Structures are given as structure tokens and as C-alpha cells.
Amino acid sequence: MLSTDKLSNAFQAIVEEAEKLKEYDVPDPVKAGLSTIVSIAKHQNDIRKSATGSCKATHAA
């Protein structure tokens, strides 16, 4: 497997695990943090300072 494939799979695993954690009864700030983690993993880029709505996925999740 190419290293880019390994990285892509790792980011997808992060998305999956963070989405699972969002289903638990956790405080809203934790859910918000998990949503940020999902966004970063999906975009594979630090989006924390991006304007709301400016990030568009380039591939299907």
C-alpha cells in the first residue's frame, strides 16, 4: 500500500472513531471538538481558522 493510501485510511479511521464518540452523552464543547477533528481529518488540513462554510469536501466521506 502506498504511503498516501495509508494516510488516507488513517484519516478515515479518525473520522469514524470521532463520529462514534459524538454519539455518547458528552458535553457540547466535547461534541464541538469532535466535529472539528472530523473536519480536519476529512480535509486533511487545519481548518480551525477557516470561515464557516468555506470548507468543501473534495471526495466522498
Side-chain angles (χ1 to χ4, degrees):
M1 183 182 303
L2 296 173
S3 62
T4 54
D5 291 336
K6 288 180 182 179
L7 282 172
S8 181
N9 288 341
F11 279 112
Q12 183 58 40
I14 291 168
V15 169
E16 291 169 5
E17 294 304 316
E19 291 288 356
K20 287 180 194 176
L21 291 172
K22 285 171 54 177
E23 298 299 318
Y24 287 91
D25 186 23
V26 295
D28 288 338
V30 173
K31 286 186 181 181
L34 290 168
S35 292
T36 300
I37 290 168
V38 168
S39 293
I40 291 169
K42 282 184 177 180
H43 295 12
Q44 299 179 19
N45 197 353
D46 187 351
I47 51 81
R48 291 175 289 177
K49 295 190 188 300
S50 299
T52 301
S54 67
C55 298
K56 303 293 181 214
T58 59
H59 55 42

Short mmCIF file of all heavy atoms in Angstrom, two decimals:
data_model
loop_
_atom_site.label_atom_id
_atom_site.label_comp_id
_atom_site.label_asym_id
_atom_site.label_seq_id
_atom_site.Cartn_x
_atom_site.Cartn_y
_atom_site.Cartn_z
N MET A 1 0.85 -1.18 0.00
CA MET A 1 0.00 0.00 0.00
C MET A 1 0.90 1.24 0.00
O MET A 1 1.88 1.30 0.73
CB MET A 1 -0.90 -0.01 1.25
CG MET A 1 -1.88 1.14 1.28
SD MET A 1 -2.94 1.21 2.77
CE MET A 1 -3.73 -0.37 2.75
N LEU A 2 0.57 2.20 -0.81
CA LEU A 2 1.32 3.45 -0.85
C LEU A 2 1.14 4.24 0.43
O LEU A 2 0.10 4.13 1.10
CB LEU A 2 0.86 4.29 -2.04
CG LEU A 2 1.10 3.72 -3.43
CD1 LEU A 2 0.44 4.60 -4.48
CD2 LEU A 2 2.58 3.60 -3.71
N SER A 3 2.13 5.04 0.76
CA SER A 3 2.03 5.82 1.99
C SER A 3 0.84 6.78 1.95
O SER A 3 0.22 7.04 2.97
CB SER A 3 3.32 6.58 2.25
OG SER A 3 3.59 7.48 1.20
N THR A 4 0.49 7.31 0.77
CA THR A 4 -0.67 8.20 0.69
C THR A 4 -1.95 7.43 0.99
O THR A 4 -2.86 7.97 1.61
CB THR A 4 -0.78 8.88 -0.69
OG1 THR A 4 -0.77 7.89 -1.71
CG2 THR A 4 0.35 9.86 -0.90
N ASP A 5 -2.00 6.19 0.57
CA ASP A 5 -3.17 5.35 0.89
C ASP A 5 -3.24 5.09 2.38
O ASP A 5 -4.32 5.12 2.97
CB ASP A 5 -3.11 4.02 0.14
CG ASP A 5 -3.30 4.16 -1.35
OD1 ASP A 5 -3.92 5.16 -1.78
OD2 ASP A 5 -2.83 3.26 -2.08
N LYS A 6 -2.10 4.85 3.00
CA LYS A 6 -2.06 4.61 4.44
C LYS A 6 -2.53 5.85 5.19
O LYS A 6 -3.30 5.75 6.15
CB LYS A 6 -0.66 4.23 4.89
CG LYS A 6 -0.24 2.85 4.46
CD LYS A 6 1.16 2.54 4.95
CE LYS A 6 1.62 1.17 4.49
NZ LYS A 6 2.98 0.88 4.94
N LEU A 7 -2.07 7.02 4.76
CA LEU A 7 -2.50 8.26 5.41
C LEU A 7 -3.99 8.49 5.22
O LEU A 7 -4.69 8.87 6.17
CB LEU A 7 -1.72 9.46 4.84
CG LEU A 7 -0.32 9.63 5.37
CD1 LEU A 7 0.40 10.72 4.59
CD2 LEU A 7 -0.34 9.96 6.84
N SER A 8 -4.48 8.27 4.03
CA SER A 8 -5.90 8.45 3.77
C SER A 8 -6.74 7.51 4.64
O SER A 8 -7.75 7.93 5.22
CB SER A 8 -6.19 8.19 2.29
OG SER A 8 -7.56 8.38 2.01
N ASN A 9 -6.30 6.26 4.75
CA ASN A 9 -7.01 5.30 5.59
C ASN A 9 -6.95 5.69 7.06
O ASN A 9 -7.92 5.52 7.79
CB ASN A 9 -6.44 3.90 5.39
CG ASN A 9 -6.81 3.31 4.04
OD1 ASN A 9 -7.74 3.76 3.38
ND2 ASN A 9 -6.05 2.33 3.61
N ALA A 10 -5.81 6.24 7.48
CA ALA A 10 -5.69 6.67 8.87
C ALA A 10 -6.64 7.82 9.16
O ALA A 10 -7.30 7.84 10.20
CB ALA A 10 -4.25 7.09 9.16
N PHE A 11 -6.72 8.79 8.25
CA PHE A 11 -7.65 9.90 8.45
C PHE A 11 -9.09 9.41 8.45
O PHE A 11 -9.91 9.89 9.23
CB PHE A 11 -7.44 10.98 7.38
CG PHE A 11 -6.31 11.91 7.67
CD1 PHE A 11 -5.17 11.90 6.90
CD2 PHE A 11 -6.37 12.81 8.73
CE1 PHE A 11 -4.11 12.77 7.16
CE2 PHE A 11 -5.33 13.67 9.01
CZ PHE A 11 -4.19 13.65 8.22
N GLN A 12 -9.42 8.46 7.60
CA GLN A 12 -10.78 7.92 7.57
C GLN A 12 -11.09 7.22 8.89
O GLN A 12 -12.20 7.34 9.42
CB GLN A 12 -10.95 6.94 6.41
CG GLN A 12 -12.36 6.40 6.29
CD GLN A 12 -13.42 7.48 6.12
OE1 GLN A 12 -13.21 8.46 5.41
NE2 GLN A 12 -14.55 7.32 6.77
N ALA A 13 -10.12 6.51 9.46
CA ALA A 13 -10.32 5.86 10.76
C ALA A 13 -10.56 6.89 11.85
O ALA A 13 -11.41 6.69 12.73
CB ALA A 13 -9.11 4.99 11.10
N ILE A 14 -9.84 8.01 11.79
CA ILE A 14 -10.06 9.08 12.77
C ILE A 14 -11.48 9.60 12.66
O ILE A 14 -12.16 9.80 13.67
CB ILE A 14 -9.03 10.22 12.57
CG1 ILE A 14 -7.63 9.73 12.95
CG2 ILE A 14 -9.42 11.47 13.36
CD1 ILE A 14 -6.51 10.64 12.51
N VAL A 15 -11.94 9.82 11.44
CA VAL A 15 -13.32 10.29 11.22
C VAL A 15 -14.31 9.30 11.83
O VAL A 15 -15.22 9.69 12.58
CB VAL A 15 -13.61 10.49 9.72
CG1 VAL A 15 -15.10 10.72 9.47
CG2 VAL A 15 -12.79 11.65 9.16
N GLU A 16 -14.13 8.04 11.54
CA GLU A 16 -15.06 7.01 12.03
C GLU A 16 -15.08 6.97 13.56
O GLU A 16 -16.17 6.91 14.16
CB GLU A 16 -14.68 5.65 11.46
CG GLU A 16 -14.92 5.54 9.97
CD GLU A 16 -14.31 4.30 9.35
OE1 GLU A 16 -13.75 3.45 10.09
OE2 GLU A 16 -14.36 4.18 8.11
N GLU A 17 -13.93 7.00 14.18
CA GLU A 17 -13.88 6.92 15.63
C GLU A 17 -14.44 8.18 16.29
O GLU A 17 -15.15 8.10 17.30
CB GLU A 17 -12.44 6.66 16.10
CG GLU A 17 -11.91 5.29 15.68
CD GLU A 17 -12.77 4.14 16.15
OE1 GLU A 17 -13.22 4.14 17.32
OE2 GLU A 17 -13.01 3.22 15.35
N ALA A 18 -14.16 9.34 15.74
CA ALA A 18 -14.70 10.58 16.29
C ALA A 18 -16.21 10.63 16.15
O ALA A 18 -16.92 11.08 17.06
CB ALA A 18 -14.05 11.79 15.62
N GLU A 19 -16.71 10.14 15.01
CA GLU A 19 -18.18 10.10 14.81
C GLU A 19 -18.83 9.18 15.85
O GLU A 19 -19.90 9.49 16.37
CB GLU A 19 -18.52 9.64 13.39
CG GLU A 19 -18.15 10.63 12.31
CD GLU A 19 -19.04 11.86 12.26
OE1 GLU A 19 -20.02 11.94 13.02
OE2 GLU A 19 -18.74 12.75 11.45
N LYS A 20 -18.19 8.06 16.17
CA LYS A 20 -18.72 7.16 17.20
C LYS A 20 -18.78 7.87 18.55
O LYS A 20 -19.77 7.75 19.28
CB LYS A 20 -17.83 5.92 17.33
CG LYS A 20 -17.95 4.93 16.21
CD LYS A 20 -17.01 3.76 16.49
CE LYS A 20 -16.79 2.89 15.31
NZ LYS A 20 -15.80 1.82 15.57
N LEU A 21 -17.72 8.60 18.88
CA LEU A 21 -17.68 9.29 20.18
C LEU A 21 -18.75 10.37 20.28
O LEU A 21 -19.26 10.64 21.37
CB LEU A 21 -16.29 9.90 20.40
CG LEU A 21 -15.16 8.92 20.62
CD1 LEU A 21 -13.82 9.64 20.63
CD2 LEU A 21 -15.37 8.16 21.93
N LYS A 22 -19.11 11.00 19.17
CA LYS A 22 -20.14 12.04 19.18
C LYS A 22 -21.50 11.49 19.57
O LYS A 22 -22.38 12.23 19.99
CB LYS A 22 -20.22 12.72 17.82
CG LYS A 22 -19.06 13.66 17.56
CD LYS A 22 -19.00 14.19 16.14
CE LYS A 22 -20.26 14.83 15.67
NZ LYS A 22 -20.12 15.40 14.32
N GLU A 23 -21.68 10.17 19.46
CA GLU A 23 -22.95 9.54 19.81
C GLU A 23 -23.14 9.40 21.32
O GLU A 23 -24.24 9.20 21.80
CB GLU A 23 -23.07 8.17 19.13
CG GLU A 23 -23.07 8.24 17.62
CD GLU A 23 -24.22 9.05 17.06
OE1 GLU A 23 -25.36 8.91 17.57
OE2 GLU A 23 -23.98 9.84 16.13
N TYR A 24 -22.05 9.49 22.07
CA TYR A 24 -22.14 9.37 23.52
C TYR A 24 -22.69 10.67 24.12
O TYR A 24 -22.66 11.72 23.50
CB TYR A 24 -20.76 9.09 24.13
CG TYR A 24 -20.29 7.67 23.89
CD1 TYR A 24 -19.52 7.37 22.77
CD2 TYR A 24 -20.61 6.65 24.77
CE1 TYR A 24 -19.09 6.08 22.54
CE2 TYR A 24 -20.18 5.35 24.55
CZ TYR A 24 -19.42 5.08 23.43
OH TYR A 24 -18.99 3.80 23.21
N ASP A 25 -23.18 10.55 25.35
CA ASP A 25 -23.70 11.71 26.06
C ASP A 25 -22.52 12.49 26.64
O ASP A 25 -22.09 12.25 27.76
CB ASP A 25 -24.66 11.26 27.17
CG ASP A 25 -25.34 12.43 27.85
OD1 ASP A 25 -25.43 13.51 27.24
OD2 ASP A 25 -25.78 12.25 29.00
N VAL A 26 -21.98 13.37 25.82
CA VAL A 26 -20.84 14.19 26.23
C VAL A 26 -21.23 15.66 26.16
O VAL A 26 -22.17 16.02 25.45
CB VAL A 26 -19.59 13.92 25.36
CG1 VAL A 26 -19.10 12.49 25.55
CG2 VAL A 26 -19.86 14.20 23.91
N PRO A 27 -20.54 16.52 26.88
CA PRO A 27 -20.87 17.94 26.86
C PRO A 27 -20.74 18.53 25.45
O PRO A 27 -19.96 18.04 24.63
CB PRO A 27 -19.84 18.57 27.79
CG PRO A 27 -19.33 17.44 28.63
CD PRO A 27 -19.44 16.21 27.81
N ASP A 28 -21.49 19.59 25.21
CA ASP A 28 -21.46 20.24 23.90
C ASP A 28 -20.06 20.67 23.46
O ASP A 28 -19.72 20.51 22.27
CB ASP A 28 -22.43 21.42 23.86
CG ASP A 28 -23.88 20.97 23.83
OD1 ASP A 28 -24.16 19.81 23.43
OD2 ASP A 28 -24.75 21.78 24.20
N PRO A 29 -19.23 21.21 24.36
CA PRO A 29 -17.88 21.57 23.92
C PRO A 29 -17.07 20.36 23.40
O PRO A 29 -16.27 20.49 22.48
CB PRO A 29 -17.23 22.17 25.15
CG PRO A 29 -18.36 22.67 25.98
CD PRO A 29 -19.47 21.68 25.74
N VAL A 30 -17.32 19.19 23.99
CA VAL A 30 -16.64 17.98 23.53
C VAL A 30 -17.15 17.61 22.14
O VAL A 30 -16.36 17.28 21.24
CB VAL A 30 -16.82 16.82 24.52
CG1 VAL A 30 -16.27 15.52 23.97
CG2 VAL A 30 -16.18 17.16 25.86
N LYS A 31 -18.45 17.67 21.93
CA LYS A 31 -19.02 17.38 20.61
C LYS A 31 -18.48 18.36 19.57
O LYS A 31 -18.18 17.97 18.44
CB LYS A 31 -20.54 17.42 20.65
CG LYS A 31 -21.14 16.21 21.33
CD LYS A 31 -22.64 16.19 21.24
CE LYS A 31 -23.16 14.96 21.98
NZ LYS A 31 -24.59 14.82 21.93
N ALA A 32 -18.36 19.63 19.95
CA ALA A 32 -17.82 20.62 19.02
C ALA A 32 -16.37 20.29 18.67
O ALA A 32 -15.96 20.40 17.51
CB ALA A 32 -17.92 22.02 19.63
N GLY A 33 -15.60 19.88 19.66
CA GLY A 33 -14.22 19.49 19.41
C GLY A 33 -14.12 18.28 18.50
O GLY A 33 -13.28 18.23 17.61
N LEU A 34 -15.00 17.32 18.71
CA LEU A 34 -15.02 16.14 17.86
C LEU A 34 -15.40 16.51 16.43
O LEU A 34 -14.84 15.97 15.47
CB LEU A 34 -15.98 15.09 18.41
CG LEU A 34 -15.53 14.40 19.70
CD1 LEU A 34 -16.66 13.61 20.31
CD2 LEU A 34 -14.31 13.53 19.45
N SER A 35 -16.34 17.45 16.28
CA SER A 35 -16.71 17.91 14.94
C SER A 35 -15.52 18.57 14.25
O SER A 35 -15.31 18.38 13.04
CB SER A 35 -17.88 18.88 15.01
OG SER A 35 -19.05 18.22 15.43
N THR A 36 -14.73 19.32 15.00
CA THR A 36 -13.53 19.94 14.44
C THR A 36 -12.53 18.88 14.01
O THR A 36 -11.94 18.97 12.93
CB THR A 36 -12.89 20.91 15.45
OG1 THR A 36 -13.83 21.92 15.77
CG2 THR A 36 -11.62 21.53 14.90
N ILE A 37 -12.37 17.86 14.84
CA ILE A 37 -11.46 16.76 14.50
C ILE A 37 -11.92 16.08 13.21
O ILE A 37 -11.11 15.79 12.32
CB ILE A 37 -11.37 15.75 15.66
CG1 ILE A 37 -10.62 16.38 16.83
CG2 ILE A 37 -10.70 14.44 15.20
CD1 ILE A 37 -10.70 15.60 18.12
N VAL A 38 -13.22 15.84 13.08
CA VAL A 38 -13.76 15.22 11.87
C VAL A 38 -13.47 16.10 10.65
O VAL A 38 -13.03 15.61 9.61
CB VAL A 38 -15.27 14.95 12.02
CG1 VAL A 38 -15.90 14.58 10.68
CG2 VAL A 38 -15.52 13.85 13.04
N SER A 39 -13.70 17.39 10.79
CA SER A 39 -13.46 18.30 9.67
C SER A 39 -11.99 18.31 9.26
O SER A 39 -11.66 18.26 8.07
CB SER A 39 -13.89 19.72 10.02
OG SER A 39 -15.28 19.79 10.17
N ILE A 40 -11.10 18.36 10.23
CA ILE A 40 -9.67 18.35 9.93
C ILE A 40 -9.29 17.03 9.24
O ILE A 40 -8.57 17.03 8.25
CB ILE A 40 -8.83 18.56 11.21
CG1 ILE A 40 -9.02 20.00 11.72
CG2 ILE A 40 -7.36 18.26 10.95
CD1 ILE A 40 -8.45 20.24 13.11
N ALA A 41 -9.78 15.94 9.75
CA ALA A 41 -9.45 14.63 9.18
C ALA A 41 -10.00 14.49 7.76
O ALA A 41 -9.34 13.95 6.88
CB ALA A 41 -9.96 13.51 10.07
N LYS A 42 -11.22 14.98 7.53
CA LYS A 42 -11.81 14.89 6.19
C LYS A 42 -11.05 15.74 5.20
O LYS A 42 -10.85 15.36 4.05
CB LYS A 42 -13.28 15.30 6.21
CG LYS A 42 -14.19 14.23 6.76
CD LYS A 42 -15.63 14.65 6.67
CE LYS A 42 -16.55 13.55 7.16
NZ LYS A 42 -17.97 13.96 7.07
N HIS A 43 -10.64 16.92 5.60
CA HIS A 43 -9.95 17.83 4.69
C HIS A 43 -8.45 17.59 4.69
O HIS A 43 -7.75 18.10 3.83
CB HIS A 43 -10.22 19.28 5.08
CG HIS A 43 -11.64 19.69 4.93
ND1 HIS A 43 -12.66 18.83 4.71
CD2 HIS A 43 -12.21 20.91 4.95
CE1 HIS A 43 -13.81 19.48 4.63
NE2 HIS A 43 -13.56 20.74 4.77
N GLN A 44 -7.96 16.87 5.69
CA GLN A 44 -6.54 16.61 5.87
C GLN A 44 -5.76 17.92 5.86
O GLN A 44 -4.69 18.04 5.28
CB GLN A 44 -6.02 15.63 4.81
CG GLN A 44 -6.71 14.29 4.90
CD GLN A 44 -6.26 13.30 3.88
OE1 GLN A 44 -5.21 13.43 3.30
NE2 GLN A 44 -7.06 12.28 3.65
N ASN A 45 -6.37 18.90 6.52
CA ASN A 45 -5.79 20.24 6.60
C ASN A 45 -6.36 20.91 7.84
O ASN A 45 -7.48 20.63 8.24
CB ASN A 45 -6.18 21.02 5.34
CG ASN A 45 -5.32 22.23 5.12
OD1 ASN A 45 -4.51 22.61 5.95
ND2 ASN A 45 -5.52 22.86 3.98
N ASP A 46 -5.61 21.84 8.42
CA ASP A 46 -6.08 22.55 9.61
C ASP A 46 -7.09 23.61 9.18
O ASP A 46 -6.74 24.60 8.56
CB ASP A 46 -4.90 23.19 10.34
CG ASP A 46 -5.31 23.81 11.67
OD1 ASP A 46 -6.52 23.90 11.95
OD2 ASP A 46 -4.41 24.21 12.42
N ILE A 47 -8.35 23.38 9.50
CA ILE A 47 -9.44 24.28 9.08
C ILE A 47 -9.95 25.14 10.22
O ILE A 47 -10.93 25.85 10.06
CB ILE A 47 -10.61 23.46 8.47
CG1 ILE A 47 -11.06 22.32 9.42
CG2 ILE A 47 -10.22 22.83 7.16
CD1 ILE A 47 -11.95 22.74 10.52
N ARG A 48 -9.27 25.12 11.35
CA ARG A 48 -9.81 25.79 12.53
C ARG A 48 -9.98 27.28 12.37
O ARG A 48 -10.84 27.87 13.01
CB ARG A 48 -8.95 25.48 13.76
CG ARG A 48 -9.06 24.03 14.19
CD ARG A 48 -8.14 23.70 15.30
NE ARG A 48 -6.77 23.69 14.77
CZ ARG A 48 -5.71 23.48 15.52
NH1 ARG A 48 -5.84 23.27 16.81
NH2 ARG A 48 -4.51 23.46 14.98
N LYS A 49 -9.21 27.93 11.54
CA LYS A 49 -9.34 29.38 11.36
C LYS A 49 -10.06 29.74 10.06
O LYS A 49 -10.16 30.90 9.70
CB LYS A 49 -7.96 30.03 11.39
CG LYS A 49 -7.29 29.90 12.75
CD LYS A 49 -6.04 30.74 12.83
CE LYS A 49 -5.23 30.52 14.05
NZ LYS A 49 -5.70 30.73 15.33
N SER A 50 -10.60 28.75 9.36
CA SER A 50 -11.33 29.00 8.12
C SER A 50 -12.72 29.54 8.43
O SER A 50 -13.31 29.22 9.45
CB SER A 50 -11.47 27.71 7.31
OG SER A 50 -10.21 27.20 6.96
N ALA A 51 -13.22 30.34 7.51
CA ALA A 51 -14.57 30.88 7.67
C ALA A 51 -15.59 29.76 7.60
O ALA A 51 -15.40 28.79 6.85
CB ALA A 51 -14.84 31.91 6.57
N THR A 52 -16.65 29.87 8.36
CA THR A 52 -17.71 28.88 8.36
C THR A 52 -18.26 28.72 6.95
O THR A 52 -18.55 29.69 6.28
CB THR A 52 -18.84 29.28 9.31
OG1 THR A 52 -18.30 29.42 10.62
CG2 THR A 52 -19.95 28.25 9.32
N GLY A 53 -18.36 27.45 6.50
CA GLY A 53 -18.90 27.16 5.18
C GLY A 53 -17.88 27.23 4.06
O GLY A 53 -18.20 26.94 2.92
N SER A 54 -16.64 27.60 4.38
CA SER A 54 -15.64 27.75 3.33
C SER A 54 -14.98 26.42 2.95
O SER A 54 -14.33 26.33 1.93
CB SER A 54 -14.55 28.75 3.74
OG SER A 54 -13.79 28.24 4.82
N CYS A 55 -15.16 25.40 3.77
CA CYS A 55 -14.52 24.10 3.52
C CYS A 55 -15.49 23.20 2.78
O CYS A 55 -16.59 22.93 3.25
CB CYS A 55 -14.10 23.45 4.82
SG CYS A 55 -12.90 24.42 5.72
N LYS A 56 -15.07 22.74 1.64
CA LYS A 56 -15.87 21.81 0.86
C LYS A 56 -15.06 20.54 0.68
O LYS A 56 -13.89 20.59 0.32
CB LYS A 56 -16.21 22.39 -0.51
CG LYS A 56 -16.92 23.73 -0.45
CD LYS A 56 -18.30 23.58 0.15
CE LYS A 56 -19.00 24.93 0.18
NZ LYS A 56 -19.87 25.12 1.28
N ALA A 57 -15.70 19.41 0.89
CA ALA A 57 -15.01 18.13 0.74
C ALA A 57 -14.67 17.92 -0.73
O ALA A 57 -15.45 18.26 -1.61
CB ALA A 57 -15.89 17.00 1.25
N THR A 58 -13.50 17.35 -0.99
CA THR A 58 -13.08 17.07 -2.35
C THR A 58 -13.33 15.62 -2.72
O THR A 58 -13.11 15.23 -3.85
CB THR A 58 -11.58 17.40 -2.54
OG1 THR A 58 -10.84 16.62 -1.60
CG2 THR A 58 -11.32 18.87 -2.34
N HIS A 59 -13.80 14.85 -1.75
CA HIS A 59 -14.11 13.45 -2.01
C HIS A 59 -15.26 13.02 -1.11
O HIS A 59 -15.58 13.68 -0.13
CB HIS A 59 -12.91 12.54 -1.80
CG HIS A 59 -12.27 12.69 -0.44
ND1 HIS A 59 -12.95 12.79 0.73
CD2 HIS A 59 -10.98 12.74 -0.07
CE1 HIS A 59 -12.14 12.91 1.76
NE2 HIS A 59 -10.92 12.88 1.28
N ALA A 60 -15.88 11.93 -1.47
CA ALA A 60 -16.98 11.42 -0.65
C ALA A 60 -16.44 10.88 0.65
O ALA A 60 -15.38 10.27 0.69
CB ALA A 60 -17.72 10.32 -1.41
N ALA A 61 -17.17 11.11 1.72
CA ALA A 61 -16.74 10.64 3.05
C ALA A 61 -17.04 9.19 3.23
O ALA A 61 -17.89 8.61 2.69
CB ALA A 61 -17.42 11.46 4.14
#
